[in-house]
Amino acid sequence: MNATDGKSVWSKVAETGALGDRPLTQVEAGGKTLVLANVKGRVTALDDRCPHFGASLSDGQIENDHVVCPWHAREYDLQTGACVFYEGVQAYPVEVREDGVFVLIPT
């Protein structure tokens, strides 16, 4: 299910509660592969590809509000996607609703 604001689309990527205790989950939305991070009940979304060598960030770990790349330990801020000293990744707005987890994807 998708809803639009004219420039972006809210895409449902998971059922509410489906993330459980998993800190990182790979999802698809709008032709993009994303990683959902679930930290203390707060869900964020980033592109799931490290720009360094293409590792899947969903295979990484969460440390200090950052997802850590499993290949070379680059750290990406869960809120902004920023990476100190290196290229960051795209962050996306997330809404957890009664009917699912939605990510706002640019069209």
Side-chain angles (χ1 to χ4, degrees):
M1 177 179 147
N2 295 331
T4 183
D5 69 1
K7 297 178 186 173
S8 300
V9 175
W10 284 103
S11 294
K12 184 175 180 178
V13 295
E15 294 296 329
T16 301
L19 304 178
D21 293 334
R22 291 178 294 167
L24 298 170
T25 303
Q26 186 181 76
V27 297
E28 301 287 328
K32 298 178 182 296
T33 303
L34 308 176
V35 57
L36 295 183
N38 182 10
V39 179
K40 299 176 186 170
R42 182 173 180 150
V43 180
T44 60
L46 302 173
D47 279 332
D48 189 34
R49 183 183 177 280
C50 176
H52 182 214
F53 276 111
S56 176
L57 295 176
S58 59
D59 291 333
Q61 298 179 30
I62 294 177
E63 294 180 14
N64 302 318
D65 293 323
H66 290 77
V67 61
V68 180
C69 176
W71 289 0
H72 300 105
R74 289 188 180 182
E75 298 181 15
Y76 299 91
D77 184 283
L78 292 174
Q79 302 299 314
T80 66
C83 180
V84 177
F85 304 117
Y86 300 104
E87 177 184 359
V89 295
Q90 178 69 44
Y92 300 89
V94 176
E95 288 187 359
V96 179
R97 306 175 188 169
E98 288 183 18
D99 60 338
V101 178
F102 291 79
V103 177
L104 187 63
I105 303 294
T107 55

